[in-house]
Each structure stands twice: as structure tokens, then as C-alpha cells.
Amino acid sequence: RQDVLVLTPWLAPIVWEGTFNRDILNAQYLQKNLVTGVVTFAVEKYWFFIEGFMRSANKYFLAGHHVNFYLFTDSPEKISHLQMAPENHLFVIPVQNDPRWLDIPTSRMDIISSYIHSQFQYEVDYLYSVDIDVQLLADIGVEIIDALVATISSWQITSQLENSAHETHPESPAAIPEGQGDFQYTASFYGGSVSEVYKLTRACSEKLMEDRENGIEAWWHHESHLNKYLLHHRPTRLLSPEYYWDTEL
């Protein structure tokens, strides 16, 4: 494609529709006998999105490959019976009476890193975090698989710069000096190998805790810290805004 940027300055591919051959990638992926995990959170009012997300993800996310879906929710009783594809497995993880769940945006990184350490690293090879209020409309295939994967925010290609995820609070470790950011990444869809996602979520969790201890709250919470981490640990693959388009735009 000649109409979009397909390579970063550090030579990581930017995946757009039409820049890959999914048949070739599927054949390569199948030979490795890999399992990919998806983590999502449905706490309080977000239980409403569970069925729509799971039905679309079961159909479109790495279709035909082994996927473990890890659904954290405080309303497991509200989940209707979902018929999963034979190669997919849904694990419902009930959550309650835990202070970490009082503030999901700032606690999410800590929860993911903890579960990687105790469970996920033994069950999956790659792990992706996806927001529960996402509706998948087309195939998301193995072209997303790489060591450290970030998705370019759809806001980046608009002129509404006030929506920048780059933190400017000078006292926060998430702060990025003006002109130093590469891309604006969304925290609604990121992932990679289990080991790399563990490093990312662990680092962001520690910085979020540092903010909390200092009475600071980053403007975009964990997304601000995600962007700062990826500035110093550049992703090996970027997904275009096609992969997570904000319908407000």
C-alpha cells in the first residue's frame, strides 16, 4: 500500500488490511502449535457488553486457532450460555471483595501481571488485552502475532489533539516531553508474547502505584503509562487504527 505508513522508523511493521497474506501466516502459525490468550474485564455496568464481545470475538479473533478467553467479572451469573468454537475456551474468573477491583483502570495492569505470573504463563504463548465494549466486525488473524504489539489510536489521525494519550504532568513517571512520543497507542488493544506482556504490565503497575503514592493521577490512567513504556521499549509490531476504531469518530 502506498497510501499509509507501513514501517516505523525502528523498522517494525505497521499492519494494515492489504499488507499481508493471511493464508501464508496461518500456515506458519499452525506449525508452531501455539495458544493465544485474550484478557478482558466486565465489572459493574460493563457486564452488559459481555455477550456482544464474546460472540464476535469467538467468531473473528484468530478464527480456527486455539484461543483462551479470560473474562474477569463480578457478575458471572449474568453470563448466558455461550457456544464457543471447538478450538476456543472461555474461562470466567469471578471477582469480588478485592480492593483492586474498585478502580479497574488503574488496577488492570497489576491484575494482568499477577495472573500471568500465577497462571497464564503456563497456559498460553501469546496474550492480548482487549476492552469488553469492543465489537469485532471482521477477522483479526495471526498477522497480529509478535513479541510486543501495540495499536495506534484512531484519535492519532484526527486533528483533535486534546485527546492525546501522552501525559504532560511533569511529576508523573508517565510524562512524555513534547516532541518525544512516537505514536499514540490505545490501551484498549495490546499484547504480545507472555513474557513481554508481563514486563509491560509489571512496569506500568509499578509506575501507577508510584503515582498513587504521590497523589498523582495520570490523565489517561494506565494508557498514559502504556505509552511511556512503549516509548522506551518500542513494539515489534504495530496495528493500524483499523484494528480499534473509535465509533465517536
Side-chain angles (χ1 to χ4, degrees):
R1 286 181 58 169
Q2 303 297 318
D3 58 321
V4 291
L5 184 67
V6 296
L7 201 64
T8 69
W10 60 94
L11 304 183
I14 305 176
V15 182
W16 297 83
E17 189 66 35
T19 61
F20 57 88
N21 185 313
R22 187 169 283 148
D23 291 337
I24 294 175
L25 295 177
N26 277 334
Q28 294 173 341
Y29 185 84
L30 284 169
Q31 290 177 358
K32 300 176 182 178
N33 195 30
L34 300 171
V35 179
T36 299
V38 174
V39 175
T40 192
F41 296 83
V43 178
E44 295 183 339
K45 62 181 180 180
Y46 285 91
W47 67 265
F48 176 79
F49 296 102
I50 292 175
E51 185 165 354
F53 171 81
M54 286 307 310
R55 289 192 185 281
S56 64
N58 179 56
K59 179 179 181 180
Y60 290 121
F61 193 91
L62 268 64
H65 302 290
H66 295 292
V67 181
N68 287 355
F69 292 95
Y70 299 103
L71 171 61
F72 291 86
T73 182
D74 58 351
S75 304
E77 74 283 353
K78 295 181 179 179
I79 300 176
S80 60
H81 176 69
L82 297 172
Q83 186 66 40
M84 303 296 290
E87 62 275 8
N88 293 342
H89 295 89
L90 172 61
F91 299 91
V92 178
I93 304 176
V95 293
Q96 58 183 349
N97 300 324
D98 188 331
R100 294 183 302 173
W101 296 101
L102 298 178
D103 188 358
I104 285 297
T106 57
S107 302
R108 190 176 305 188
M109 297 290 193
D110 177 49
I111 295 162
I112 293 175
S113 65
S114 297
Y115 271 84
I116 289 175
H117 180 72
S118 65
Q119 178 181 346
F120 299 158
Q121 65 170 319
Y122 305 110
E123 299 176 351
V124 298
D125 303 286
Y126 291 89
L127 187 68
Y128 290 80
S129 175
V130 186
D131 280 358
I132 192 69
D133 56 353
V134 167
Q135 189 82 11
L136 279 68
L137 303 176
D139 287 322
I140 294 181
V142 297
E143 73 278 356
I144 71 168
I145 299 296
D146 215 321
L148 184 58
V149 181
T151 305
I152 299 173
S153 172
S154 50
W155 289 98
Q156 166 132 1
I157 59 176
T158 74
S159 59
Q160 303 184 44
L161 299 181
E162 67 272 19
N163 291 286
S164 172
H166 293 165
E167 180 64 32
T168 57
H169 196 303
E171 296 181 5
S172 172
I176 296 178
E178 186 175 354
Q180 289 193 19
D182 297 313
F183 294 89
Q184 178 183 332
Y185 304 112
T186 176
S188 298
F189 186 13
Y190 66 90
S193 69
V194 170
S195 60
E196 289 297 329
V197 176
Y198 178 75
K199 293 175 188 176
L200 182 156
T201 53
R202 181 76 173 176
C204 290
S205 174
E206 291 174 353
K207 297 302 182 183
L208 281 158
M209 184 61 67
E210 184 178 328
D211 267 358
R212 183 174 294 178
E213 291 173 351
N214 293 327
I216 299 171
E217 186 172 359
W219 184 253
W220 289 107
H221 310 292
H222 64 302
E223 186 165 290
S224 295
H225 289 275
L226 173 79
N227 274 268
K228 181 60 175 288
Y229 180 89
L230 293 174
L231 176 62
H232 297 292
H233 306 81
R234 288 189 166 104
T236 57
R237 180 174 300 250
L238 279 65
L239 304 182
S240 73
E242 294 172 322
Y243 283 84
Y244 186 82
W245 187 256
D246 192 328
T247 54
E248 288 186 22
L249 300 174

